[in-house]
């Protein structure tokens, strides 16, 4: 009876065994293909920063950074490869895969991207338009044949024992920064008449040292190149002007912002904000604000303030005629015989708010130079005589060479007054960090940057060097800065510690 039962059940046992083996083989094949698609998509997504050449860089990443193979197909063990067609088309194929660059994906994961609805999600086919739009890439592995051991024709006459197995993956790039101040700055090189880009501005010395005058967006004023405003502070900091000022003044900001979208919070009272900038120079308004060490001044606060320039002469500050800057602000007097970092000789750019980069480092004729006024015959890098440095480079050189305490011709030093909080040395307090927005384009799309706008895409995150204190508490007070660095392509790498670049799989 046992033999009879075994004989009757044997075909079923063998059939189920073959099905189990086939299922294991096809699952392993699909797993190999899916992991390959995921790896290609992630490698490509890491390059989708919206900048020129991102499509070509994504293709190069897939072709050179990923090594995968599949098993159990009709071809046996096969390597999965990609190629570099040139990055000129939004959809292309090479090697074992095809791909499309997408500007969006369906909000519902159950909605499949097909040939019928693909145009809704594809980036523009012109790279100059499509690359800034691209946020995702869809990678499809060319289906490969699979031959089953189980004879399907045994069950259904004419049925095929083989079929194709493929895989699809969608990945995107999410970039952001943490520990950043809640400030946005309108791209000073947006639609530049000379075609200059942010990347060129931080890499070309002649452009890098241009002084930029920032003005606050507010009271309905249009946000154009060179204007600045404020972002929504992190939760827990409050909504008032003073709370906003504290998030700007602190040396330990906790805000995180994504390049996919930021939210503006403009129109705040400018008075405390002026204090928030100036406390970095050891200039602090009266009252109880900014009294803890996290609001201490920079290690180098040389600014050209005259002795007794605080208006009441109640202290000599750093003992070298720097003016009594703490604890009360009042009004400092600037100018000779002391000299802060000078402005450019001319301002031919950005409607008179961006200099030509020619600032008086050394005395020329009757024009006094910053170095001669403050450091006399002290040595300096020989390269400065052929290629003028940025103000930030000079500022950092003073710190590195121990020149901060050197008195100028008028007696000022860069050492903060004794009455200030201890200087902050863990971060560079003279650097202002902010999100750089293409404000003209955003306002043309109907966004009000002088109000409350959400999901504004960020061109880059940047750092700016504060060259002098903010002189006016009113909304038209200027903030004088040099562009130091940006994130992303063209950046110099000084902001890498703030970056949070995260390519991730979405499908």
């Amino acid at each position: 009876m046992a033999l009879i039962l075994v004989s009757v059940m044997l075909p079923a046992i063998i059939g189920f065994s073959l099905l189990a083996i086939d299922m294991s083989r096809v699952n392993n094949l699909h797993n190999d293909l899916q992991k390959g698609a995921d790896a290609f998509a992630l490698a490509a997504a890491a390059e989708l920063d919206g900048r020129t050449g991102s499509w070509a860089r994504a293709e190069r990443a897939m072709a050179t950074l990923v090594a995968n193979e599949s098993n159990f197909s009709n071809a046996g063990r096969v390597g999965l490869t990609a190629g570099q067609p040139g990055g000129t088309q939004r959809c292309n194929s090479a090697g074992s895969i095809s791909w499309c660059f997408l500007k969006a994906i369906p909000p519902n994961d159950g909605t499949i991207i097909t040939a019928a609805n693909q145009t809704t999600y594809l980036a523009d086919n012109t790279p100059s338009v499509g690359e800034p739009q691209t946020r995702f890439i869809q990678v499809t592995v060319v289906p490969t044949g699979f031959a089953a051991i189980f004879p399907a024709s045994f069950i259904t006459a004419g049925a095929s024992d083989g079929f194709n197995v493929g895989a699809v993956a969608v990945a995107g790039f999410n970039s952001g920064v943490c520990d950043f101040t809640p400030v946005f700055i309108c791209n000073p090189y947006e639609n530049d008449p000379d075609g200059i880009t942010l990347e060129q501005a931080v890499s070309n010395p002649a452009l890098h040292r241009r002084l930029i005058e920032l003005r606050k967006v507010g009271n309905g004023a249009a946000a154009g190149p060179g204007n600045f405003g404020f972002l929504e502070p992190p939760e827990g900091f409050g909504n008032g002007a003073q709370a906003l000022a504290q998030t700007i003044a602190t040396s330990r900001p906790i805000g995180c912002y994504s390049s996919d979208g930021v939210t503006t919070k403009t129109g705040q009272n400018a008075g405390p904000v002026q204090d928030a900038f100036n406390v970095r120079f050891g200039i602090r308004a009266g009252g109880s604000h900014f009294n803890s060490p996290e609001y201490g001044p920079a290690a180098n606060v040389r600014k050209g303030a005259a002795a007794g320039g605080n208006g009441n002469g109640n202290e000599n500050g750093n003992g070298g005629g720097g003016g009594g800057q703490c604890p009360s602000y009042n009004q400092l007097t600037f100018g000779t015989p002391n000299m802060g970092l000078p402005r450019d000789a001319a301002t031919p750019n950005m409607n008179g708010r961006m200099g030509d980069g020619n600032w008086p480092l050394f005395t020329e004729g009757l024009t006094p130079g910053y170095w001669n006024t403050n450091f006399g015959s002290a040595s300096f890098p020989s390269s400065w005589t052929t290629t003028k440095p940025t103000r930030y480079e000079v500022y950092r050189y003073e710190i590195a060479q121990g020149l901060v305490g050197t008195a100028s011709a008028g007696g000022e030093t860069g050492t903060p007054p004794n009455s200030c909080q201890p200087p902050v040395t863990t971060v560079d307090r003279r650097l202002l960090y902010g999100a750089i927005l293409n404000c003209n384009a955003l306002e043309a799309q109907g966004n009000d940057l002088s109000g409350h706008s959400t999901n504004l895409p960020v061109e880059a995150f940047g750092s700016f060097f504060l060259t002098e204190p903010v002189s006016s508490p009113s909304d038209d007070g200027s903030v004088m800065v040099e562009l130091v660095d940006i994130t992303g392509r063209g950046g110099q790498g000084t902001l890498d510690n703030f970056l949070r670049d995260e390519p991730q799989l979405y499908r």
Side-chain angles (χ1 to χ4, degrees):
M1 290 180 62
L3 286 173
I4 294 173
L5 291 175
V6 170
S7 299
V8 172
M9 293 299 298
L10 191 59
I13 293 172
I14 295 175
F16 279 117
S17 298
L18 293 179
L19 282 176
I21 293 172
D22 283 341
M23 287 298 297
S24 176
R25 292 172 60 234
V26 75
N27 281 337
N28 282 328
L29 173 60
H30 181 264
N31 187 54
D32 289 345
L33 296 178
Q34 188 62 59
K35 285 186 175 180
D38 293 348
F40 283 123
L42 284 170
E47 301 296 335
L48 300 180
D49 56 5
R51 299 191 180 280
T52 301
S54 59
W55 288 0
R57 286 185 278 114
E59 292 177 0
R60 184 165 61 250
M62 291 190 292
T64 60
L65 300 181
V66 179
N68 289 290
E69 66 177 18
S70 65
N71 296 284
F72 302 111
S73 69
N74 292 344
R77 176 172 291 186
V78 178
L80 302 178
T81 62
Q84 302 182 55
T88 58
Q89 300 183 43
R90 63 184 177 185
C91 290
N92 218 321
S93 62
S96 310
I97 64 171
S98 62
W99 60 87
C100 286
F101 296 108
L102 310 176
K103 62 183 178 182
I105 57 176
N108 188 337
D109 286 343
T111 303
I112 301 174
I113 301 176
T114 64
N117 66 6
Q118 194 177 50
T119 54
T120 304
Y121 308 109
L122 285 174
D124 192 276
N125 200 41
T126 303
S128 61
V129 179
E131 287 178 330
Q133 294 177 341
T134 302
R135 293 185 55 208
F136 308 94
I137 184 171
Q138 178 175 267
V139 175
T140 303
V141 177
V142 176
T144 184
F146 176 82
I149 300 175
F150 183 85
S153 57
F154 180 79
I155 300 176
T156 303
S160 174
D161 295 338
F163 51 89
N164 290 329
V165 179
V168 180
V170 175
F173 180 71
N174 184 24
S175 178
V177 292
C178 284
D179 304 330
F180 240 57
T181 44
V183 173
F184 77 83
I185 294 152
C186 294
N187 183 359
Y189 291 97
E190 181 184 11
N191 302 323
D192 184 84
D194 297 321
I196 298 171
T197 64
L198 274 173
E199 295 92 332
Q200 293 170 329
V202 298
S203 59
N204 184 337
L207 303 174
H208 203 181
R209 60 178 180 258
R210 286 181 174 181
L211 191 65
I212 303 171
E213 179 184 355
L214 304 179
R215 292 179 183 167
K216 180 178 170 293
V217 177
N219 301 325
N227 290 338
F228 77 96
F230 310 115
L231 300 177
E232 194 75 41
E235 292 185 10
F237 270 82
N239 294 316
Q242 186 58 46
L244 177 63
Q246 288 176 316
T247 64
I248 297 171
T250 180
S251 60
R252 296 196 294 262
I254 62 172
C256 290
Y257 301 96
S258 170
S259 61
D260 289 342
V262 294
T263 299
T264 59
K265 187 181 183 63
T266 54
Q268 296 291 338
N269 186 318
V273 174
Q274 180 201 26
D275 300 338
F277 287 129
N278 287 349
V279 73
R280 302 161 184 261
F281 289 89
I283 301 173
R284 179 160 49 87
S288 59
H289 305 309
F290 313 136
N291 280 340
S292 59
E294 68 180 285
Y295 302 112
N300 184 356
V301 298
R302 191 184 300 273
K303 50 193 169 292
N310 62 352
N312 55 24
N314 65 351
E315 70 179 291
N316 288 323
N318 55 23
Q325 295 117 27
C326 293
S328 60
Y329 169 54
N330 292 320
Q331 181 62 53
L332 295 176
T333 301
F334 296 93
T336 56
N338 298 310
M339 179 181 288
L341 289 163
R343 299 186 181 185
D344 289 346
T347 55
N349 308 292
M350 208 174 69
N351 297 320
R353 291 169 52 200
M354 181 188 291
D356 60 1
N358 182 25
W359 63 283
L361 174 60
F362 302 116
T363 298
E364 298 179 7
L366 299 178
T367 303
Y370 173 81
W371 190 263
N372 310 88
T373 300
N374 291 295
F375 305 107
S377 60
S379 62
F380 54 85
S382 59
S383 60
W384 289 4
T385 60
T386 55
T387 302
K388 184 169 292 186
T390 65
R391 295 166 183 82
Y392 184 61
E393 289 173 323
V394 175
Y395 160 83
R396 294 302 307 175
Y397 183 82
E398 293 174 31
I399 296 175
Q401 299 300 314
L403 297 174
V404 175
T406 300
S408 69
E412 183 193 26
T413 74
T415 307
N418 296 328
S419 57
C420 290
Q421 296 290 343
V424 177
T425 57
T426 54
V427 295
D428 196 331
R429 293 283 281 152
R430 294 277 292 274
L431 288 182
L432 175 67
Y433 301 96
I436 301 176
L437 309 182
N438 288 325
C439 296
N440 282 344
L442 291 173
E443 289 210 325
Q445 296 168 6
N447 297 290
D448 178 16
L449 273 69
S450 63
H452 186 78
S453 296
T454 60
N455 296 322
L456 301 177
V458 177
E459 174 68 11
F461 293 96
S463 58
F464 296 80
F465 175 56
L466 294 168
T467 64
E468 62 185 65
V470 180
S471 60
S472 172
S474 63
D475 277 349
D476 59 358
S478 297
V479 182
M480 309 302 295
V481 299
E482 272 186 348
L483 174 62
V484 176
D485 202 0
I486 59 172
T487 58
R489 187 171 177 81
Q492 307 301 300
T494 62
L495 297 174
D496 288 353
N497 288 339
F498 298 93
L499 279 175
R500 302 293 186 271
D501 288 342
E502 298 179 353
Q504 68 179 72
L505 285 170
Y506 288 85
R507 293 181 164 216

